[in-house]
């Protein structure tokens, strides 16, 4: 499988708990595979091939559609807890007993929940452009930032230009990086994934609302995520505000933060070479001891 | 000079604008030297030899006492603007026309001011455990955090145990790293620097107060620091609160942030191997274009 790339790797299917999951798996068979959890409305084709193939040089990468998304069967749950259970069934269905886990945006929320549910399944965690339960969304309604509502509410020609606004800043440099990303995004010309159906968006939005309204002591649950974690974002994420990345690393026992300059929600696509370097280095590092206590002050 | 280390390099002096500056300079003669700006009450011996010698493997490092500190003559100014002018005189006095600049804590405030004063003198900037003008200090009095007042107000036996509280978290892991740091800090046994006199602390505290109270649009001046910048801190800095590192990278055009887990004000001493790796990589990277505009939203 190591000769495949993101644009050539075939789509496979695995059946678990009554759901037929679509996935793609390729890369160097060394160490643990890295399983990716996708963003709002995304399918198998929405990942950046530069990031996938950069990471696949040193490990297997596994991308999949969670239940109800695009070419996977089933229904999209209305909570990230439900999506996490389905993702766990998918990983179990592949016969994997230990993986590294990456989540982007709402995929990072699902990834946190998977790690809480199944700590023994997850060795290391990578959270990109995401936030904790009860996150900051400014004066947003329904736990979505005002910018998110405006950007996703507009129309684009061609439609994929949406991602120039979601993932990149308005600077000339970042928009140029965005246009390079769109070329990579469209570079798989055969066997592209199916479109998502009309039920995906309302269910994912319901899950976002539930995550944002989470009761209880704010951020306390993060203390339970003891895996070595790399948190990555842009310095100006308008979709999941950057301050939420600070909340993550200030409340997790063992999380390093990297913020990129002049970067929005898709900072890892904007700085894909640096991201791949940092992430391969993080995943390759020998495991460090989880600290037994931490200073509670900010 | 390349056979010297932080513990063996002799102290030299250079005269500029009527001040006799004490400094030490060693390391590989390749590219630009890196000039260090010291923290509150620190003299030539307060830097971590592990960081200095790690960086000296790939470039010249220059540490110095600013005017009025320890073995340098003159008086400590009561503003960072005044300290910056003296630092610039020191760099000019060495005949250097372009350097990389590092500042730690209040040294990072001086380093910002040097870069604003003399943008052509500074190629790249590294800011560790510091913050912008008008920074957040919680409910601190006089623009010093409550923790800073408590930690510096206590007594320690031996006195250097102060740094275990200033630089490291209360976790067993971080305190163990702190004790290793203290060994390194004391490893220079001959030709140690002079102690600071009684005028240093009040002048540096006056400068901190003036920096914290700075009027005008908050953080707007940071837009003018266009140099590629690496901002580094711990996730729980109680001396200069970690959120100030976020303010720096959100208001500077070209600044990358790294926050270390379970780490306080001295995160770069706690994680000295990773810091040296990241900083050498940052300084060795070919210069990137400064973005011409950035997204103003958080």
């Amino acid at each position: 499988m190591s000769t495949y790339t993101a644009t050539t790797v075939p789509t496979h299917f695995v059946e678990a708990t009554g759901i037929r999951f679509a996935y793609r798996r390729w890369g160097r068979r060394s160490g643990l595979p890295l399983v990716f959890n996708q963003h709002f409305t995304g399918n198998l084709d929405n990942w950046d091939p530069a990031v996938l193939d950069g990471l696949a040089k040193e490990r297997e990468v596994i991308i999949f559609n969670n239940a109800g998304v695009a070419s996977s069967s089933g229904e999209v749950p209305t909570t990230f807890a439900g999506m996490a259970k389905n993702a766990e069934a998918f990983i179990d269905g592949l016969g994997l007993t230990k993986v590294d886990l990456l989540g982007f945006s709402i995929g990072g929320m699902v990834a946190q929940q998977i790690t809480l549910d199944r700590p023994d399944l997850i060795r290391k965690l990578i959270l990109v452009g995401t936030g904790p339960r009860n996150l900051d969304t400014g004066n947003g309604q329904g736990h979505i930032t005002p910018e998110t509502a405006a950007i996703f509410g507009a129309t684009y020609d061609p439609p994929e230009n949406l991602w120039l606004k979601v993932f990149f800043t308005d600077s000339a440099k970042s928009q140029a990086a965005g246009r390079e990303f769109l070329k990579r995004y469209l570079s798989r010309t055969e066997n592209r994934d199916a479109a998502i159906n009309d039920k995906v968006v309302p269910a994912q939005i319901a899950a976002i609302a539930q995550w944002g309204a989470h009761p209880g002591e704010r951020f306390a649950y993060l203390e339970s995520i003891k895996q070595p974690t790399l948190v990555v974002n842009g310095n100006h994420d308008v979709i999941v505000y950057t301050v939420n990345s600070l909340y993550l690393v200030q409340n997790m026992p063992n999380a390093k933060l990297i913020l990129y300059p002049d970067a929005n929600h898709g900072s890892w696509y904007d700085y894909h070479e640096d991201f791949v370097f940092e992430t391969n280095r993080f995943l390759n590092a020998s495991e460090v001891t989880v600290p037994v206590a931490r200073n509670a002050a900010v």
Side-chain angles (χ1 to χ4, degrees), chain A residues 17-46:
Chain A
T17 60
I19 297 157
R20 190 169 175 260
F21 290 96
Y23 72 100
R24 297 175 187 155
R25 178 177 182 170
W26 73 106
R28 181 166 173 236
R29 292 196 175 176
S30 170
L32 296 182
L34 176 61
V35 177
F36 288 67
N37 294 272
Q38 186 59 291
H39 65 70
F40 182 63
T41 76
N43 68 15
L44 292 174
D45 295 327
N46 283 86

Side-chain angles (χ1 to χ4, degrees), chain A residues 82-144:
Chain A
M83 296 180 203
K85 289 288 176 220
N86 289 333
E88 293 155 26
F90 164 71
I91 296 167
D92 293 339
L94 292 179
L96 299 168
T97 56
K98 187 78 93 176
V99 298
D100 294 327
L101 196 66
L102 182 148
F104 179 28
S105 194
I106 66 168
M109 299 165 188
V110 175
Q112 289 172 58
Q113 189 60 55
I114 295 169
T115 310
L116 290 165
D117 290 349
R118 300 280 299 275
D120 293 341
L121 181 63
I122 308 303
R123 187 189 64 135
K124 293 187 181 182
L125 184 61
I126 300 160
L127 300 175
V128 184
T130 193
R133 292 178 188 159
N134 201 352
L135 72 174
D136 267 3
T137 55
N139 59 345
Q141 302 294 309
H143 304 289
I144 289 176

Side-chain angles (χ1 to χ4, degrees), chain A residues 6-83:
Chain A
T7 56
T8 63
V9 61
T11 304
H12 289 282
F13 295 89
V14 64
E15 186 104 12
T17 60
I19 297 157
R20 190 169 175 260
F21 290 96
Y23 72 100
R24 297 175 187 155
R25 178 177 182 170
W26 73 106
R28 181 166 173 236
R29 292 196 175 176
S30 170
L32 296 182
L34 176 61
V35 177
F36 288 67
N37 294 272
Q38 186 59 291
H39 65 70
F40 182 63
T41 76
N43 68 15
L44 292 174
D45 295 327
N46 283 86
W47 302 107
D48 185 344
V51 164
L52 295 174
D53 288 330
L55 295 170
K57 280 182 187 155
E58 300 197 19
R59 69 203 71 255
E60 280 192 291
V61 297
I62 300 175
I63 60 176
F64 75 107
N65 288 324
N66 212 333
V69 174
S71 49
S72 284
S73 74
E75 302 248 318
V76 178
T78 55
T79 64
F80 294 132
M83 296 180 203

Side-chain angles (χ1 to χ4, degrees), chain A residues 1 3-11 24 26 53 187-191:
Chain A
M1 293 174 78
T3 57
Y4 287 123
T5 68
T7 56
T8 63
V9 61
T11 304
R24 297 175 187 155
W26 73 106
D53 288 330
S187 64
R188 184 181 174 105
T189 52
E190 293 183 24
N191 300 309

Side-chain angles (χ1 to χ4, degrees), chain A residues 154-168:
Chain A
T155 54
Y156 301 88
D157 180 23
E160 62 266 23
N161 281 1
L162 164 69
W163 304 114
L164 295 176
K165 295 292 289 181
V166 173
F167 289 158
F168 300 88

